[in-house]
Amino acid sequence: MASTAGARQLLRHPGAALGACGLAAVFAAATVAGRIAPDGHRRLSADFSQAPSLRHPMGTDAIGHDLFLQVLHGAQKSLQVAMVVTVLATVTGTTLGALAGYRGGWVDSLISRLTDLVLTVPVIVVLVVAAARLREQRESWLVIALLISVVAWPQTARVVRAAVLSVRERTFVSAAQALGASPLRILVVDVLPNAVAPIAVSATLTMATAVLLETALSFLGLGVAAPETSLGRLVATGQSAAGTRPWLFYFPGIVLVTMCVCVAAIGEGLRSALDPGRDDR
Amino acid sequence: MARFLIRRLLHSVPVVVVSSFLVFAMVAASGDPLAELRGRPGVSDATVALRSEQLELHKPVHERYLGWAGSAVRGDLGTSVGGEPVAPMVLRHLGVTLRMVLLAVVVGIAGALVVGVGTALRPRSVLDRAGSVLSMVLLATPVFWLAGLLKDVGIRFNELVGRTVVFTAGERSPATGASVASVVADRLGHLVLPTLTLALVAMAGWSRFQRAATIEVLNAPYVQSARARGLPERRVVGVHALRNALIPLTAVVATDFAAILGGAVLVEVVFAWQGMGRLLLDAVARSDVHVATGWLLVTASVVVVLNLLADLVYAALDPRIRNP
């Protein structure tokens, strides 16, 4: 019942649907391009530093790469990283947050201190230091995704812990305990379903963070490594040429910002749908 | 209050210790700090061995860390791979970065107050809706792209007016006039764009927060009673409402410090500043353990101190915290 009400609320916020469609469109375009021309983003042509044209919708770079294909490939890599991070960090964060909230005691202290650690240390240090060592692996985007997951889960853990703390005191939990249900069963069947709203919202926040961190690392030259490319790498290359060949900077940037806005719109829509009271404030 | 602050400080000690060890160990494992020295022509094996001895590279990581930590508590952060003392080096770079970050925080708070309170007074107006869309886009924009965008705009603006009004590279000109005024003008000219970048991103989140807090406070009974007593609206909003509406913002600003310092790393790269960001990236590239760990120690301390400052402001605004 709650979910149909939530779905109706979601429809009232077209931003979320638009955001989801936007992301799906980028991903679909990148997948199609990857099928038609698997090496398109790496192929060199004789058109050096060309402005956007029908042949090259986003122009070309100094050594003849087609920017449109590069942007599509980069967006795909960024989205892949974001999805892996969202799944890993949400599962880890939910598990540990639920444990901390339900168990309390030293488990709670340990997990809370870990969360503090991430909040005190600029995340970028951990990533920069770790990425410098690990990115020489073959599937560099997967390594980066794992790294970002390591720093991204505590946010979710914190949210889930707070939610579990409040649900734990409800009477239906006491009832389940009185019936002799195991702690695991209580957590999975009784407690977590009541924390779905904050988990969903925090998952979209994780996704946004993941895109920002991955592109930032790639921008610094520490993220997705050649021959793969990422929107961050493309912006870094285009940035020095912004004055003379603006397309190299603006096209990857605009696609990147659009993707981030789509993720933010989904989060915003979910939040208002799951917490309607918030809208009227 | 003093006890509260001391407890907060003590809480942050283990966090700093653990994180400094992690960074120490990760950088130590990341590569050979003497690779550059080895590659240089005319450097004998004896020189490399001596340097390796000085850096204690033969010892296990935890012993090296303990040795480093022992002197670090006495204020000595060791020497870089190049042999330069780390503490003065980090502090010099910190000064450059703090100039940008602190100004950005001040500008960000001021902007958030104006936009947040302004939109809260007219919720659902055109201005309010425009503000919420704009802040959503700004929040979603990667800071390095925003920096690049402002840099490009700055360069075009300079070309348009025919002289350099806002500088787009470096934190200072190589040579400035001798007078204090010209030095200040030069520094400010370099500060405009990087500060604006960081402030805009911070403002985007903070203004929405300030808006929500103000709307909530404006509906509180004590504000309605102030209105009922016939106080002018200016006084109701400016004095009665604002004070309580500032409390949540203080908390948010405090939790964002670490993120802003992280963002500053990227902004420095775009604007070619010789600040903490450059220092960290160079240290990591050279596997310079002492510089990277010194960086972390100093940055984490700054975050802790700024958080304490925020706690003090928090307590000044909310008497319940002062007398628990």
Side-chain angles (χ1 to χ4, degrees):
Chain A
M1 206 172 81
S3 68
T4 54
R8 218 175 300 133
Q9 277 289 336
L10 206 54
L11 287 178
R12 247 184 261 160
H13 299 273
L18 277 179
C21 290
L23 279 188
V26 172
F27 197 74
T31 312
V32 169
R35 276 287 150 77
I36 295 175
D39 283 333
H41 64 283
R42 281 192 275 168
R43 201 174 299 148
L44 300 171
S45 68
D47 307 327
F48 306 131
S49 298
Q50 299 244 316
S53 61
L54 276 180
R55 235 179 107 75
H56 304 288
M58 291 188 181
T60 60
D61 68 5
I63 52 172
H65 286 121
D66 180 87
L67 190 62
F68 181 64
L69 290 177
Q70 284 204 310
V71 165
L72 281 182
H73 181 80
Q76 188 185 28
K77 282 288 160 247
S78 299
L79 279 176
Q80 278 175 344
V81 171
M83 282 190 272
V84 170
V85 172
T86 308
V87 171
L88 281 183
T90 303
V91 170
T92 318
T94 304
T95 313
L96 292 179
L99 265 180
Y102 195 73
R103 268 291 167 81
W106 66 269
V107 180
D108 186 20
S109 308
L110 183 71
I111 292 170
S112 300
R113 286 293 89 76
L114 274 177
T115 322
D116 288 350
L117 194 70
V118 176
L119 282 177
T120 316
V121 181
V123 178
I124 197 103
V125 195
V126 184
L127 292 178
V128 163
V129 172
R133 175 162 166 70
L134 295 175
R135 73 194 196 89
E136 267 128 44
Q137 316 283 333
R138 256 183 56 248
E139 293 280 332
S140 65
W141 71 270
L142 200 58
V143 176
I144 297 303
L146 290 175
L147 271 181
I148 297 177
S149 311
V150 170
V151 293
W153 66 264
Q155 306 283 358
T156 306
R158 182 169 269 209
V159 170
V160 173
R161 174 181 175 272
V164 167
L165 273 181
S166 76
V167 175
R168 188 176 70 167
E169 305 304 326
R170 305 262 288 273
T171 40
F172 60 80
V173 174
S174 319
Q177 280 164 346
L179 287 171
S182 71
L184 185 68
R185 193 194 145 85
I186 295 179
L187 255 184
V188 175
V189 178
D190 299 312
V191 177
L192 281 183
N194 285 291
V196 163
I199 293 174
V201 171
S202 134
T204 59
L205 284 179
T206 305
M207 190 162 180
T209 315
V211 175
L212 291 181
L213 285 177
E214 179 272 318
T215 51
L217 270 183
S218 303
F219 176 78
L220 292 174
L222 295 167
V224 174
E228 309 284 324
T229 194
S230 133
L231 291 175
R233 268 173 71 98
L234 293 173
V235 170
T237 328
Q239 202 235 310
S240 51
T244 49
R245 287 165 290 159
W247 59 90
L248 287 181
F249 173 71
Y250 283 96
F251 280 124
I254 288 168
V255 171
L256 174 55
V257 172
T258 310
M259 269 170 46
C260 294
V261 169
C262 285
V263 176
I266 298 174
E268 194 64 23
L270 270 182
R271 216 170 331 173
S272 358
L274 297 169
D275 183 11
R278 186 180 162 276
D279 230 19
D280 305 323
R281 267 203 270 149
Chain B
M1 190 65 215
R3 267 176 64 193
F4 169 72
L5 288 182
I6 290 170
R7 208 170 58 219
R8 283 295 301 265
L9 263 180
L10 287 180
H11 262 300
S12 53
V13 170
V15 171
V16 173
V17 171
V18 171
S19 55
S20 65
F21 177 70
L22 284 178
V23 168
F24 194 98
M26 281 196 288
V27 177
S30 74
D32 176 17
L34 297 177
E36 200 192 327
L37 191 66
R38 270 186 242 277
R40 241 183 264 165
V43 175
S44 67
D45 287 347
T47 318
V48 174
L50 181 69
R51 197 76 198 101
S52 170
E53 185 74 23
Q54 282 168 344
L55 292 170
E56 302 185 323
L57 293 183
H58 55 282
K59 287 190 187 170
V61 172
H62 63 271
E63 270 179 42
R64 282 168 65 194
Y65 176 75
L66 285 179
W68 176 85
S71 45
V73 289
R74 280 178 266 123
D76 174 13
L77 298 181
T79 58
S80 71
V81 168
E84 200 187 337
V86 171
M89 187 171 160
V90 174
L91 289 183
R92 196 173 65 239
H93 286 83
L94 179 71
V96 171
T97 298
L98 275 190
R99 208 153 67 205
M100 170 205 301
V101 167
L102 291 182
L103 191 63
V105 169
V106 172
V107 172
I109 292 177
L113 281 181
V114 172
V115 176
V117 175
T119 49
L121 291 177
R122 288 171 204 80
R124 290 165 186 272
S125 64
V126 179
L127 213 65
D128 182 30
R129 285 178 195 279
S132 84
V133 170
L134 194 66
S135 68
M136 191 168 120
V137 173
L138 267 180
L139 265 182
T141 305
V143 67
F144 59 89
W145 194 72
L146 185 64
L149 178 69
L150 288 179
K151 186 177 177 178
D152 191 36
V153 170
I155 292 173
R156 282 164 206 271
F157 176 76
N158 287 339
E159 278 169 2
L160 198 69
V161 294
R163 63 194 182 87
T164 307
V165 183
V166 288
F167 293 87
T168 49
E171 72 278 6
R172 50 180 291 187
S173 303
T176 46
S179 72
V180 176
S182 70
V183 171
V184 171
D186 179 69
R187 299 290 192 275
L188 282 179
H190 284 92
L191 266 171
V192 174
L193 293 175
T195 307
L196 190 63
T197 311
L198 283 180
L200 275 176
V201 176
M203 217 180 98
W206 296 347
S207 66
R208 299 318 288 168
F209 216 80
Q210 184 59 28
R211 173 184 176 275
T214 310
I215 289 180
E216 193 161 312
V217 169
L218 282 178
N219 290 326
Y222 80 94
V223 169
Q224 286 168 357
S225 102
R227 280 198 180 119
R229 275 183 281 144
L231 290 179
E233 188 66 16
R234 180 178 289 271
R235 204 176 147 73
V236 173
V237 175
V239 179
H240 288 75
L242 194 58
R243 184 179 164 137
N244 276 341
L246 277 175
I247 296 172
L249 184 67
T250 329
V252 175
V253 170
T255 54
D256 279 358
F257 279 136
I260 295 177
L261 279 171
V265 173
L266 294 159
V267 174
E268 280 179 12
V269 169
V270 173
F271 289 104
W273 277 45
Q274 293 298 317
M276 293 293 270
R278 195 67 273 159
L279 188 69
L280 172 73
L281 294 173
D282 288 348
V284 171
R286 290 198 197 114
S287 307
D288 197 326
V289 177
H290 289 170
V291 175
T293 319
W295 186 99
L296 178 100
L297 196 67
V298 171
T299 309
S301 311
V302 167
V303 171
V304 169
V305 168
L306 290 177
N307 273 324
L308 277 183
L309 261 178
D311 279 338
L312 286 177
V313 175
Y314 208 89
L317 288 170
D318 191 344
R320 283 169 306 184
I321 295 180
R322 255 173 296 165
N323 312 306

